[in-house]
Amino acid sequence: MPRYTVHVRGEWLSVPCKDPSKTIRCLGKEALRRYIKNKPDNGGFETLENVKFYLRRCKGLGLLDLDDKIEDALEDNEFVEVVMEGDVMSPDFIPSQPEGVHLYSKYKEPEQYIEVDGESLTTEDLLNLGKGLFKIKLTAEAEQRVQQSRLLIESIVAEKKVVYGITTGFGKFARTVIPVGQLKDLQVNLVRSHSAGVGKPLSPDRTRMLLALRINVLAKGYSGISLETLQQVIEAFNACCLPYIPEKGTVGASGDLAPLSHLALGLIGEGKMWSPKSGWADAKYVLEAHGLRPVSLKPKEGLALINGTQMITSLGCEAVERANAITKQADIVASLTLEVLKGTTKAFDSDIHRLRPHPGQVEVAFRFRSLLDSDHHPSEIAESHRFCDRVQDAYTLRCCPQVHGVVNDTIEFVKNIISTEINSATDNPMVFAERGETISGGNFHGEYPAKALDYLAIGVHELASISERRIERLCNPSLSELPAFLVTEGGLNSGFMIAHCTAAALVSENKALCHPSSVDSLSTSAATEDHVSMGGWAARKALRVIENVEHVLAIELLAACQGIEFLRPLRTTTPLEKVYDLVRSVVRPWMKDRFMAPDIEAVHRLLVDQKVWHVAVPYIEKYRVEHIPESRPVSPTAFSVDSISFSSSSVVDQQEHSDCHDHNES
């Protein structure tokens, strides 16, 4: 017999359906009947006959036609909500709509798996798991390690040894010994009491990343979790059953206790949970709808689920990958701006950068050379001012390799720390099966990722800082030789006037966000945890900084393409024309004032999806291959472009000096 989970004014009801040929209206009335059955005031209704209501799916929130047959409109065990006329959606139903939830309306369960062993997960793997592209399964070696560590926990319990977190309380209560009969209650109480976060829930993608990363850490075999419980957690991940996890509440030591507790709370069937099938609902109903059972915690397992730096690190993975994407594309955007402002390529000469061979600086200079005027792809715009009388360009153009370059090197530094962290055991106590003992330590402390992500925010911010100054030069006629604010009939039209203000506002906001959160520490847990990392805020604000950087560069790219309009019929280089064409595929030229925010968002999406990079990278790599020096030693540093790695030595090419403008640089 099919049945449906129906939400009515804050309550979830399981409604069986004996006759699927009946209408949606009948299902709604039966749900309302069950709702008012045990209400002392009949739920505020005098009679059901006069109640006007409609039904909608929890998945995608689509309205249902009351006259459709149930069997035609709904799948078995689907989640729906009854909304009475005059009511609004209950805040208990969807506490806060997750970001990007609309992307899941056509969610398809992945068929491919990533094998997890606690040793080899990459930042790219974690992002793909977050996007729902893969399921998870354990390697045989990981299963064996997990089983061995669990045997040690069971022996500790059987022998009634006093071991922190297994047979004792937590934090200040570490000296309180718990009777064997209450050890399971100890773990459940831990999860419930520590689920004290506040704020918006993490998006589905970020929750999947957090859950996947916790699975990876448990797979190392130093947490003491049973294989049975770990498999249940993996099944929840593979079914996309995602607990409600507020984004605020962690101080980053002893691990990310609050967010990971909310994660565990959903897995034990309490609190809220979300899936593409159900939307937000009580966790027990969501698990049941996917044929899953709530986890029944054994000794040590609550602590195993909540003790670690996975909130900081999973958000850090997203931050470092998005930072890498926007940093590569910043070089392309700045190259286009340099063309519009009629700058010189002399400052990117390989000999200059060979004398200060920071890997990032050398690579950025190479990218500029590969995109700008050369024998490979000449520029009519460059040719038009070859014999101008300007001496040298502003720092915002000339110093891009030095400024953008250190951002590249910062990302490499941060990615190394994050990559180590995602494959690290961060529990306490650690369970060493091979030694037959547990040891208390401090691997849960989030200082490493916290410091790294603070550094990342500071580094990436500089891309927006220098980009905003280039936007100013594009919009200011005394600096650009272009119409004021890049629009005709100035005065009647304001053009990019306020778009530049938006960029300035975002840069100013970033200046505050770049204050390192990890320089702060507040003693917690009755001075037991007397130094903390504040890494959760470091990760969240790093993502906010990066998003602001993306938007500033989107505005610059829009402005540079608009500047091109005033230089026609002259054309720039082939790769930059391809970038221009890409932008024009989503945003038309600015002939007169119009609603600008959608244009900014459309170009922002191009950058987030790395489409600007994918248009330009074939030209960059072709230029690289044709300029690999044969006589110079290979540098140990390599740069990765998608799935292909190239040695940084290959960027130190011998450029033909005749392909640059003949400015008289001093």
Side-chain angles (χ1 to χ4, degrees):
M1 179 190 305
R3 61 178 183 146
Y4 302 93
T5 305
V6 186
H7 184 263
V8 184
R9 286 186 171 176
E11 292 189 14
W12 288 95
L13 307 168
S14 183
V15 181
C17 180
K18 296 180 180 179
D19 185 2
S21 66
K22 288 188 175 182
T23 64
I24 296 292
R25 190 188 312 275
C26 293
L27 176 63
K29 285 186 175 181
E30 177 62 17
L32 287 172
R33 186 190 69 78
R34 291 168 179 260
Y35 171 74
I36 69 174
K37 183 177 180 181
N38 297 317
K39 299 290 181 184
D41 60 348
N42 288 332
F45 304 116
E46 293 182 6
T47 173
L48 279 179
E49 297 303 320
N50 298 325
V51 177
K52 294 182 178 180
F53 65 88
Y54 60 92
L55 274 75
R56 59 182 161 199
R57 282 189 173 89
C58 295
K59 177 182 178 180
L61 306 182
L63 287 175
L64 296 166
D65 190 316
L66 296 179
D67 295 322
D68 280 349
K69 292 181 180 180
I70 296 173
E71 60 189 358
D72 294 335
L74 296 176
E75 299 176 6
D76 183 22
N77 209 5
E78 192 157 351
F79 285 64
V80 295
E81 184 189 28
V82 175
V83 181
M84 270 67 75
E85 190 175 80
D87 281 1
V88 296
M89 184 178 290
S90 165
D92 294 325
F93 170 53
I94 297 186
S96 179
Q97 189 71 25
E99 297 174 23
V101 74
H102 63 282
L103 300 176
Y104 283 75
S105 60
K106 296 182 179 179
Y107 173 80
K108 290 184 178 180
E109 194 171 295
E111 297 180 357
Q112 294 181 298
Y113 287 81
I114 284 181
E115 287 196 327
V116 166
D117 60 4
E119 307 288 342
S120 56
L121 196 69
T122 67
T123 55
E124 294 85 356
D125 289 338
L126 192 58
L127 244 65
N128 287 330
L129 287 166
K131 293 173 183 176
L133 301 180
F134 297 95
K135 292 182 179 181
I136 284 176
K137 63 180 177 182
L138 295 176
T139 63
E141 294 81 4
E143 289 184 356
Q144 186 176 9
R145 291 196 301 267
V146 169
Q147 288 173 320
Q148 289 173 345
S149 70
R150 185 63 202 175
L151 288 174
L152 179 57
I153 298 299
E154 290 173 355
S155 70
I156 289 170
V157 174
E159 296 169 16
K160 298 183 180 180
K161 293 181 179 178
V162 178
V163 178
Y164 173 76
I166 303 173
T167 57
T168 74
F170 309 97
K172 191 70 175 176
F173 299 119
R175 296 182 181 180
T176 303
V177 179
I178 309 300
V180 173
Q182 295 180 309
L183 293 184
K184 290 187 177 180
D185 291 341
L186 172 69
Q187 300 300 313
V188 174
N189 289 345
L190 173 72
V191 171
R192 287 171 176 163
S193 65
H194 285 42
S195 297
V198 298
K200 296 192 305 179
L202 296 180
S203 67
D205 284 10
R206 290 174 180 172
T207 305
R208 284 178 63 91
M209 288 174 66
L210 176 59
L211 182 53
L213 188 52
R214 192 62 206 163
I215 290 169
N216 187 60
V217 171
L218 295 171
K220 290 185 74 69
Y222 295 94
S223 305
I225 196 168
S226 68
L227 183 58
E228 176 193 5
T229 297
L230 181 52
Q231 291 291 6
Q232 282 186 271
V233 176
I234 292 171
E235 287 170 0
F237 175 89
N238 289 343
C240 201
C241 295
L242 307 176
Y244 177 83
I245 304 173
E247 64 179 4
K248 300 178 183 179
T250 177
V251 295
S254 153
D256 295 317
L257 291 174
L260 287 171
S261 294
H262 281 276
L263 183 75
L265 190 71
L267 295 172
I268 67 174
E270 299 184 16
K272 300 292 182 185
M273 186 174 267
W274 183 91
S275 81
K277 178 178 180 179
S278 66
W280 285 114
D282 291 347
K284 60 182 178 181
Y285 288 119
V286 177
L287 291 170
E288 187 178 328
H290 291 82
L292 303 176
R293 294 177 294 107
V295 169
S296 178
L297 295 175
K298 305 176 186 68
K300 175 64 166 70
E301 291 192 326
L303 189 58
L305 287 170
I306 74 169
N307 203 196
T309 62
Q310 283 67 57
M311 167 83 157
I312 307 170
T313 309
S314 60
L315 295 182
C317 282
E318 180 186 345
V320 78
E321 288 301 318
R322 283 179 68 174
N324 186 48
I326 194 60
T327 301
K328 293 186 297 186
Q329 294 174 111
D331 299 339
I332 302 167
V333 175
S335 295
L336 188 58
T337 296
L338 183 137
E339 271 285 89
V340 173
L341 294 175
K342 299 181 178 179
T344 176
T345 61
K346 283 282 191 179
F348 314 119
D349 189 294
S350 59
D351 285 342
I352 293 176
H353 302 284
R354 191 178 301 119
L355 299 179
R356 196 191 192 196
H358 293 292
Q361 176 178 331
V362 171
E363 172 69 4
V364 172
F366 168 80
R367 289 179 188 158
F368 272 76
R369 292 195 302 276
S370 70
L371 295 168
L372 293 168
D373 180 56
S374 70
D375 290 341
H376 289 264
H377 26 252
S379 164
E380 294 176 357
I381 295 174
E383 184 62 31
S384 72
H385 63 93
R386 184 171 298 279
F387 302 106
C388 67
D389 58 358
R390 280 184 292 170
V391 176
Q392 55 189 6
D393 292 325
Y395 290 180
T396 49
L397 301 176
R398 195 182 353 150
C399 298
C400 282
Q402 292 79 5
V403 177
H404 290 202
V406 73
V407 181
N408 283 266
D409 292 341
T410 298
I411 291 169
E412 286 298 312
F413 170 80
V414 174
K415 186 170 183 176
N416 181 60
I417 288 178
I418 295 296
S419 296
T420 300
E421 191 74 9
I422 64 177
N423 291 297
S424 296
T426 54
D427 294 73
N428 185 54
M430 293 290 189
V431 181
F432 292 94
E434 67 277 11
R435 293 172 55 172
E437 64 178 318
T438 64
I439 305 176
S440 289
N443 277 6
F444 51 72
H445 202 295
E447 198 73 10
Y448 261 102
K451 278 285 187 285
L453 292 169
D454 278 338
Y455 183 29
L456 180 69
I458 293 169
V460 176
H461 159 69
E462 209 59 38
L463 296 176
S465 179
I466 196 170
S467 174
E468 181 275 331
R469 290 291 81 202
R470 292 193 296 262
I471 297 169
E472 156 69 7
R473 300 191 76 82
L474 287 165
C475 292
N476 189 334
S478 65
L479 300 174
S480 68
E481 301 177 3
L482 298 169
F485 304 110
L486 302 170
V487 71
T488 57
E489 297 188 78
L492 175 62
N493 295 307
S494 297
F496 280 69
M497 181 186 295
I498 304 305
H500 173 231
C501 290
T502 298
L506 294 174
V507 170
S508 182
E509 182 177 302
N510 274 2
K511 291 175 184 177
L513 290 172
C514 284
H515 177 78
S517 66
S518 61
V519 300
D520 185 27
S521 177
L522 291 170
S523 179
T524 60
S525 192
T528 303
E529 299 161 5
D530 58 347
H531 183 277
V532 298
S533 72
M534 297 299 180
W537 177 225
R540 288 192 295 114
K541 71 184 183 64
L543 283 166
R544 284 176 59 180
V545 167
I546 292 163
E547 184 176 357
N548 287 345
V549 170
E550 292 166 349
H551 276 107
V552 172
L553 281 158
I555 293 170
E556 182 186 355
L557 181 52
L558 265 177
C561 287
Q562 181 63 16
I564 289 283
E565 306 298 341
F566 297 104
L567 301 179
R568 293 304 193 203
L570 299 177
R571 296 178 64 80
T572 182
T573 64
T574 301
L576 294 181
E577 284 290 344
K578 294 293 185 182
V579 172
Y580 169 87
D581 291 341
L582 174 67
V583 172
R584 286 292 171 250
S585 71
V586 296
V587 175
R588 67 185 190 275
W590 195 272
M591 307 306 295
K592 60 180 181 179
D593 282 352
R594 63 174 186 265
F595 184 19
M596 180 170 272
D599 291 356
I600 296 172
E601 195 50 48
V603 176
H604 175 245
R605 178 48 51 189
L606 293 179
L607 293 170
V608 170
D609 293 340
Q610 299 191 58
K611 291 185 178 180
V612 173
W613 175 251
H614 293 311
V615 162
V617 71
Y619 297 94
I620 296 172
E621 296 314 322
K622 181 181 179 182
Y623 190 89
R624 189 188 306 275
V625 169
E626 294 175 359
H627 286 76
I628 294 177
E630 298 179 354
S631 59
R632 294 195 177 94
V634 176
S635 164
T637 305
F639 293 89
S640 177
V641 181
D642 296 340
S643 61
I644 307 172
S645 294
F646 299 89
S647 167
S648 65
S649 66
S650 65
V651 303
V652 188
D653 66 294
Q654 184 61 46
Q655 185 191 20
E656 297 178 17
H657 295 280
S658 61
D659 68 1
C660 297
H661 311 294
D662 288 332
H663 290 183
N664 293 316
E665 295 222 46
S666 60

